[in-house]
Amino acid sequence: MQIVGLTCRVGRAVSGSAEIIRDLVEEGGSILVIGPPGVGKTTLIREIARMLADELRKRVVIVDTSNEIGGDGDVPHAGIGRARRMQVPNVNMQHNVMIEAVENHMPETIIIDEIGTELEALAASTIAQRGVQLVGTAHGMTIENIIKNPYLQMLVGGIESVTLGDEEARKRKVQKTILERKGAPTFTCAVEMISKTECRVHHRLDATVDAILAGKPPLFEVRQWDDFPNDLMEYAPMPEKSHGETSDITNNNIMSSDIESDVDEKDHSPTWSKKWSTSESVIKRSSPMQVYTYKILEADLLQVANVMGLEDVIDVTDDIGTADAILASSSELRENPWIRGVAKFHQLPVFVIKSNTMAQMVKAVRMILGLESFGPIPKKALNGSLDIEIEDDEPKRKPSLEEIDALEEVRLAIEYIVIPGGEAVELLPRRSEIIDRQLELVKSYQLAAEKSGTEQNPRLQILPLRLNTKKRSKSSSVSRKKTSPTSEYTGGVGNGTTVTRLPILPE
């Protein structure tokens, strides 16, 4: 045999390189790492193996085909920690060694490098179905390359052609023959390695594949980390920011470059709660507060902000990396726990509402902007994220049926007539104490109200006027006394209440 060339590859164990996806590793789901050659896939899964074995105390088995993960020789490299390594005598036998590792060594996690054949993809699917966490790599730029690869399609659930009926095709507005996912993916999440310092995280691989097959852009998160030239052993994940100036909450809570232990991470929640409760009002910011909404209509939140006169200080963003806070419903948080993991990574508070009612949205907006205190100490979730639950204002006593009917009349009038149409609504005559309860509810919507009727039959009229609490100068107070109408507007806050007309919203 004549040697005509030599390729020398030097593998390095970079401690801390997997900190950027620590939340995915701790959740226990199977992770697929995708990227072109030389981008750092093997270095990443080598550190994941050490993290699982040493820090999370799991039984980890590495199927090392070309000895790239644990190094050549009988004794593996110290970079894999307490993980065990199974060498593959022949490249064509990798799928057999994968099955043998599950059957004979009782692993909790199996690490596989470079899944490239159909037999290896089938073996990986078998391992995932047996309840073992799987961490593997595959060559490709994006998940779309895996979908188009006939040998690796099984990793994302397989692709099949489906013929739709005429009615179903018209309903979906697609062709009669479409591509759909055949089954559940082998991996629960995927990481696309863009470069050595940047990656894209797909928290739900099944949703990403469905979106690609439907021709829609998939939902993913971009993560970056910086390497320090003075100490290459330390890494810090840094979320992207689209606006130049961020809030004090975000700037003071960016993750430190020192990788802290689990004990140190327990102190993040008190830092957040103290910062949110003691910080000044966010209305003083030069840029709007960016809110990421999950399964909550953006139009509802923007409409509430518009009614409250806060449309210039709060905005909705689709990129969780640029968000200052997360707003989600409690039911969606229970079904999608990965939201808390993302919130912990970006050090963002999660505001939880029980229902998508306008009253809850108004209270959530006020708490996000710091206009209303949190009340009780916010609850810290199991993975370290900060959950701030938006509680309903509980009445001091049990209301009567007449009070319930009166308050429901106010709610329907505001949400269906006053806010959408910009029209005033005169309510039915009520007793004075019930009118006071109605007035409190009108105040919570930041609207003005006017008492009318006689003393025997008093009634309340809700006006399409928005209340703004501002400190007035003496000159403005004098001018107001000259131009104020004779009717009495109620529902303001102290002497610093001004009223401006609501915009008529489109249908």
Side-chain angles (χ1 to χ4, degrees):
M1 183 178 63
Q2 183 182 2
I3 299 176
V4 296
L6 177 65
T7 299
C8 182
R9 297 185 61 183
V10 180
R12 293 185 299 272
V14 183
S15 178
S17 57
E19 289 292 332
I20 192 171
I21 57 171
R22 173 180 281 272
D23 56 326
L24 304 180
V25 177
E26 291 179 348
E27 285 176 2
S30 297
I31 305 172
L32 176 63
V33 182
I34 306 170
V39 80
K41 300 187 300 297
T42 304
T43 303
L44 179 63
I45 65 171
R46 184 187 296 115
E47 176 62 14
I48 290 176
R50 186 203 61 80
M51 181 185 297
L52 287 167
D54 291 355
E55 299 180 17
L56 302 181
R57 299 293 179 180
K58 288 189 175 183
R59 295 187 300 274
V60 181
V61 174
I62 301 173
V63 179
D64 205 354
T65 307
S66 55
N67 295 335
E68 285 189 82
I69 301 177
D72 200 5
D74 296 333
V75 180
H77 191 273
I80 65 173
R82 297 173 58 252
R84 290 175 288 175
R85 188 260 302 265
M86 292 185 63
Q87 293 176 301
V88 181
N90 190 350
V91 178
N92 298 326
M93 296 177 58
Q94 177 171 331
H95 60 281
N96 292 329
V97 178
M98 292 166 58
I99 300 298
E100 180 187 351
V102 178
E103 293 177 347
N104 300 336
H105 296 277
M106 296 187 303
E108 293 178 290
T109 303
I110 287 186
I111 310 291
I112 308 168
D113 194 14
E114 295 183 7
I115 302 174
T117 65
E118 187 175 4
L119 291 175
E120 294 169 3
L122 180 61
S125 177
T126 304
I127 292 172
Q129 292 174 5
R130 298 187 183 187
V132 179
Q133 183 183 10
L134 192 63
V135 180
T137 66
H139 285 298
M141 294 295 295
T142 61
I143 296 176
E144 191 171 357
N145 301 135
I146 306 297
I147 295 176
K148 294 179 179 179
N149 191 327
Y151 301 111
L152 302 181
Q153 283 183 359
M154 191 174 299
L155 299 179
V156 295
I159 310 300
E160 63 180 358
S161 178
V162 178
T163 302
L164 303 177
D166 295 337
E167 184 178 353
E168 184 67 19
R170 284 194 300 268
K171 182 180 179 180
R172 296 191 186 185
K173 298 180 180 180
V174 294
Q175 299 177 352
K176 294 188 65 175
T177 303
I178 61 173
L179 295 177
E180 285 189 352
R181 180 166 48 87
K182 187 182 298 184
T186 302
F187 299 87
T188 56
C189 57
V191 178
E192 296 176 353
M193 300 289 294
I194 304 174
S195 65
K196 293 183 179 180
T197 60
E198 186 177 4
C199 67
R200 284 191 291 260
V201 176
H202 298 264
H203 293 275
R204 290 186 55 189
L205 184 57
D206 54 350
T208 297
V209 174
D210 292 341
I212 292 175
L213 294 178
K216 301 177 182 179
L219 180 64
F220 58 86
E221 177 191 2
V222 178
R223 296 185 181 182
Q224 294 177 335
W225 71 90
D226 298 331
D227 55 330
F228 299 89
N230 296 331
D231 191 357
L232 292 178
M233 305 297 288
E234 298 178 353
Y235 285 78
M238 298 287 289
E240 283 188 333
K241 288 291 175 184
S242 61
H243 49 277
E245 189 169 346
T246 56
S247 66
D248 296 338
I249 300 163
T250 308
N251 287 336
N252 289 343
N253 285 298
I254 291 180
M255 195 174 292
S256 172
S257 61
D258 297 329
I259 303 304
E260 300 178 288
S261 62
D262 294 338
V263 178
D264 295 334
E265 288 179 356
K266 293 181 180 179
D267 295 330
H268 288 325
S269 179
T271 302
W272 285 336
S273 61
K274 180 179 179 182
K275 189 64 187 176
W276 274 85
S277 60
T278 59
S279 59
E280 297 181 356
S281 176
V282 187
I283 296 181
K284 298 180 180 180
R285 293 161 47 99
S286 60
S287 58
M289 169 73 79
Q290 300 291 328
V291 180
Y292 178 85
T293 59
Y294 187 76
K295 296 298 180 69
I296 295 176
L297 292 179
E298 299 179 3
D300 292 347
L301 183 62
L302 294 177
Q303 183 182 18
V304 169
N306 195 9
V307 169
M308 298 174 66
L310 303 173
E311 62 274 9
D312 295 332
V313 296
I314 190 170
D315 198 5
V316 179
T317 178
D318 293 332
D319 186 3
I320 199 169
T322 63
D324 298 313
I326 298 176
L327 180 63
S329 63
S330 57
S331 59
E332 292 297 335
L333 275 181
R334 286 192 299 267
E335 297 177 1
N336 301 277
W338 62 267
I339 302 176
R340 288 192 173 97
V342 176
K344 177 186 175 184
F345 174 79
H346 288 293
Q347 300 236 347
L348 298 177
V350 181
F351 290 84
V352 185
I353 59 176
K354 296 181 179 179
S355 58
N356 293 351
T357 60
M358 190 165 292
Q360 287 254 302
M361 299 279 268
V362 169
K363 194 167 184 180
V365 169
R366 292 182 60 83
M367 292 180 69
I368 291 174
L369 297 179
L371 302 177
E372 186 172 331
S373 61
F374 295 154
I377 298 176
K379 180 178 65 176
K380 184 177 180 182
L382 295 177
N383 63 352
S385 65
L386 180 68
D387 289 358
I388 303 171
E389 294 187 356
I390 311 299
E391 298 288 346
D392 291 325
D393 294 330
E394 298 181 358
K396 297 180 180 178
R397 59 178 179 82
K398 186 176 180 180
S400 62
L401 294 178
E402 184 181 3
E403 290 176 339
I404 294 175
D405 181 65
L407 296 178
E408 183 67 10
E409 180 188 11
V410 173
R411 187 186 68 83
L412 294 176
I414 292 176
E415 296 185 4
Y416 288 93
I417 300 177
V418 179
I419 291 179
E423 301 177 4
V425 175
E426 190 174 36
L427 305 179
L428 296 175
R430 305 281 184 181
R431 292 185 286 113
S432 57
E433 55 269 18
I434 294 182
I435 289 181
D436 293 338
R437 297 292 300 277
Q438 289 180 323
L439 198 54
E440 292 178 2
L441 183 57
V442 173
K443 280 193 212 177
S444 66
Y445 284 92
Q446 301 294 308
L447 294 175
E450 181 183 22
K451 291 182 179 179
S452 60
T454 62
E455 294 182 359
Q456 290 78 14
N457 292 317
R459 64 180 65 196
L460 196 67
Q461 184 178 17
I462 306 174
L463 305 176
L465 301 176
R466 183 178 60 234
L467 295 176
N468 294 329
T469 55
K470 299 180 180 178
K471 293 183 179 179
R472 301 176 302 168
S473 59
K474 293 183 179 179
S475 59
S476 63
S477 301
V478 173
S479 62
R480 172 163 301 180
K481 289 181 181 178
K482 294 181 180 179
T483 60
S484 60
T486 57
S487 61
E488 178 189 358
Y489 292 104
T490 59
V493 181
N495 295 328
T497 301
T498 61
V499 286
T500 54
R501 179 163 294 277
L502 284 174
I504 297 181
L505 303 178
E507 292 292 337

